[in-house]
Amino acid sequence: MGGKFIIMGGAPLEGEVSANGAKNSALPIMAAALLAKGKSVLYGIPRLRDVMVMKKVLECLGAKVNYNGRCMEIDATRLNNHKVPPDLTRKLRASNLVMGALLARLRKVTAAYPGGCDIGSRPIDLHLKGFQLLGAEVEEKGGYIHAELKNPPVGSEIYLDYPSVGATENIMLAAVFSRGKTVIRNAAREPEIIDLQNFLNKLGAKVRGAGMGTIVIEGVEELKETEHEIIPDRIEAATLLVAGAITGGRVKVNNIIPEHMEAVIVKLREAGVEVAVQHNSIEVTCDETIGAVNIKTLPYPGFPTDMQPQMMALMSLAEGTSIISETIFENRFKHALELNRMGADITVEGRIAVVKGVPKLSGTFVEATDLRAGAALILAGLAAEDITVVENIRHIDRGYEDIDLKLRALGAKIVRVDG
Ligand code: UD1
C-alpha cells in the first residue's frame, strides 16, 4: 500500500532540471483566492497530492476550480459553505489556511483539527489567537473549531509568540477586510509569505512588510480578479542539488531564486560541495569526499527544517561527525532509524541527532514516514550500494511532482511501482 520506488544506487547524477512552483506558496495562495469575488488565475501550480486535496477543499466550499497543466483558475464568486470537510482537513494540515479566508469572506468557519505530516504535535493556537484579536469568537469542541465574527473584523496589534508560517498566513487572510490597520509582529519571514502578500496586493489588498518580520494590513472593502505566478520551490530545488552532491555528480537546477536558498548553499559549501550560483540557477559539483557540518534548523532565513532530513542523508556519508539540531518540530527524526537500516550511524537524543559519517550505505527496504523523510531516503538510495526500496511513497507525492522522472532525467536508476 502507498506505492514504492525501487532505486539502483551508485550512478553519479549529471544534467539539468527545473524546479516547479512552490507547494508552500501554492497552498496558501489557493486559500487566498477564496477572498476574491471573481476569478484568480494561478500559474506554476505543481501537480501534487496536497494541491489536489486543497482543490477539493475549495470546491466543497463552493468555489469553481479549473486545473489544466499547471494553470489553475479559481472562481470564488459564490461561496456557499463555511464548513471545511473533516476528511480533507485531516489529510492536509495546510487546509487550515482556508479558515482565515472564510472568516474574512463569510464571517464564520467550522473546521476539524488539521492533519498532515507525522512530525510531532502541530497546534494552531497562534492562528486562533490572531482570529480572536480580530474580534472573532472561537469555540473548540469535540475536535472541531468554530470561529465567528459577530461584527465586522477590527484592525488589531497581533504579536506572535513564535514566527509560525501558517499563523502568519492565516491572520493575513483573516485581516484583509478588517476596519483599520492590523499589525502582525514577529511574523514569519519565509519567501512564501512575500509571495502571498504579492498575490493579495494584486487582488487589491493593502499589505506590506512581508519578509521583514512586521506585516501591516490596511483593510479594504473587496478584492477583484487577478493573475499570479507562484515562486519556485526552494525545497524541491535544494533536494535535487543534494541528489547531485550525494552521488558525487554535477547537477544544475534551473528556474529558482538563489537568494531563497542561502542557508542551504552555505551548508553545502561548508561540506565541500562546489556550488555555482547564477541569476536563476544553481549548479553543484561534488568530486571530493563530503565533510561533516553541523546544522540547526531555524525559521527563515535560518536553515529550513524541510531540508533537515535530506541533509542528514548527505551527512551520513560525510567524513567526520555532524550534529543536527531540529528546533522547529518535536519529532522530525524518523528518517534516522531508516537511514541506520541502510548502514548509517546516527544517534538521536531528543531534538539532537549525532551523525557519524560512514564510508558507504547499503540498499534495503525502508519506509517513507513523512514527506521530507521520504526524500531523504531516495537520496540515500541513490548513493547506496545495491537496491533500495522506498515504501509508502504516497507521502513523497504530497510534495514532489514526478521526482522519479526528474531524477531519471539526471541519470538515476529509479522506478515507481504503484500499490
Ligand atoms: C509550514 C510549511 C512546512 C514547514 C513549516 C516550517 C506550509 C504548507 N508548510 O508549516 O512545510 O516545515 O512551515 O518551516 O507552508 N506552532 C504552534 N502553534 C501554532 C502554529 C505553529 O505551536 O499555532 C508550532 C508548530 O507546532 C511547529 C512550529 O510552530 O512546531 C512551526 O510551525 P509553522 O511555522 O506554523 O509551520 P506550518 O505553517 O505548519
Side-chain angles (χ1 to χ4, degrees):
M1 285 284 284
K4 53 188 151 195
F5 283 134
I6 301 175
I7 305 164
M8 180 70 207
L13 300 197
E14 306 252 343
E16 292 188 29
V17 275
S18 286
N20 288 324
K23 164 178 92 75
N24 287 353
S25 216
L27 297 173
I29 287 177
M30 286 171 70
L34 293 179
L35 292 165
K37 277 190 185 152
K39 197 196 281 176
S40 302
V41 183
L42 305 175
Y43 301 104
I45 299 280
R47 298 200 73 90
L48 303 170
R49 267 186 60 216
D50 275 6
V51 164
M52 298 306 174
V53 178
M54 190 60 129
K55 173 175 174 283
K56 267 194 203 149
V57 172
L58 303 188
E59 286 168 341
C60 289
L61 300 172
K64 290 209 175 79
V65 186
N66 201 340
Y67 190 22
N68 261 322
R70 298 204 183 87
C71 174
M72 184 178 281
E73 292 180 1
I74 302 170
D75 187 343
T77 309
R78 277 183 208 90
L79 289 189
N80 49 23
N81 180 11
H82 71 278
K83 293 184 180 154
V84 191
D87 53 322
L88 299 179
T89 322
R90 292 200 182 94
K91 271 191 198 152
L92 174 64
R93 175 175 167 86
S95 61
N96 70 36
L97 293 169
V98 301
M99 292 180 75
L102 289 175
L103 202 53
R105 249 317 273 286
L106 304 178
R107 302 258 175 97
K108 60 182 173 184
V109 54
T110 304
Y113 268 98
C117 271
D118 183 15
I119 53 179
S121 81
R122 295 170 77 177
I124 56 164
D125 52 314
L126 300 172
H127 306 228
L128 302 182
K129 195 169 136 193
F131 295 162
Q132 281 168 325
L133 285 166
L134 292 170
E137 285 173 20
V138 177
E139 196 186 16
E140 298 174 61
K141 220 159 127 190
Y144 285 84
I145 302 157
H146 180 72
E148 186 157 0
L149 282 158
K150 297 267 160 63
N151 297 302
V154 280
S156 177
E157 282 270 334
I158 298 169
Y159 171 80
L160 295 180
D161 294 333
Y162 181 87
S164 152
V165 174
T168 302
E169 293 167 340
N170 232 338
I171 297 168
M172 284 166 80
L173 302 188
V176 153
F177 301 131
S178 56
R179 292 203 175 139
K181 190 160 84 176
T182 299
V183 182
I184 311 173
R185 296 194 196 280
N186 198 28
R189 292 158 65 190
E190 269 70 1
E192 293 76 19
I193 305 277
I194 302 178
D195 206 24
L196 178 62
Q197 168 179 286
N198 290 342
F199 173 68
L200 289 171
N201 287 341
K202 281 185 190 170
L203 284 175
K206 286 193 181 151
V207 187
R208 60 181 192 272
M212 313 227 267
T214 299
I215 296 176
V216 180
I217 302 138
E218 315 250 11
V220 295
E221 292 282 315
E222 66 172 16
L223 299 180
K224 52 180 192 292
E225 309 200 327
T226 197
E227 293 188 354
H228 184 75
E229 169 125 31
I230 302 294
I231 57 167
D233 196 316
R234 61 197 167 98
I235 304 299
E236 185 205 22
T239 303
L240 292 163
L241 292 175
V242 175
I246 201 168
T247 58
R250 175 192 289 263
V251 167
K252 185 172 182 187
V253 182
N254 296 314
N255 181 38
I256 58 174
I257 301 175
E259 301 90 82
H260 293 170
M261 298 173 62
E262 287 291 345
V264 174
I265 294 170
V266 166
K267 285 294 161 184
L268 286 175
R269 283 190 175 141
E270 209 179 307
V273 179
E274 205 182 303
V275 185
V277 177
Q278 281 170 346
H279 174 59
N280 63 356
S281 69
I282 299 183
E283 183 173 49
V284 294
T285 312
C286 188
D287 36 30
E288 305 282 323
T289 321
I290 305 281
V293 295
N294 295 336
I295 288 163
K296 183 175 188 176
T297 63
L298 287 169
Y300 189 86
F303 192 90
T305 174
D306 286 352
M307 275 305 293
Q308 177 264 105
Q310 300 90 315
M311 283 302 273
M312 186 183 282
L314 184 66
M315 287 306 106
S316 68
L317 284 166
E319 206 168 69
T321 300
S322 316
I323 308 290
I324 301 185
S325 321
E326 173 56 59
T327 76
I328 311 287
F329 292 112
E330 62 185 15
N331 186 13
R332 198 173 204 176
F333 281 143
K334 287 192 176 160
H335 44 283
L337 280 176
E338 301 300 300
L339 289 170
N340 282 348
R341 284 156 44 72
M342 297 177 72
D345 182 352
I346 305 166
T347 319
V348 173
E349 282 266 345
R351 291 189 177 202
I352 305 276
V354 179
V355 187
K356 288 190 188 149
V358 295
K360 66 177 178 71
L361 297 175
S362 311
T364 183
F365 283 76
V366 284
E367 193 190 338
T369 49
D370 64 66
L371 165 57
R372 307 299 171 186
L377 296 174
I378 293 180
L379 296 175
L382 292 171
E385 287 185 345
D386 301 328
I387 290 177
T388 301
V389 181
V390 181
E391 298 186 297
N392 221 354
I393 59 170
R394 66 194 169 92
H395 286 298
I396 301 171
D397 292 334
R398 283 189 38 219
Y400 292 92
E401 179 187 321
D402 292 335
I403 189 155
D404 46 334
L405 301 189
K406 284 200 180 179
L407 292 170
R408 274 218 295 275
L410 296 170
K413 294 184 179 127
I414 173 167
V415 289
R416 171 189 291 268
V417 179
D418 290 328

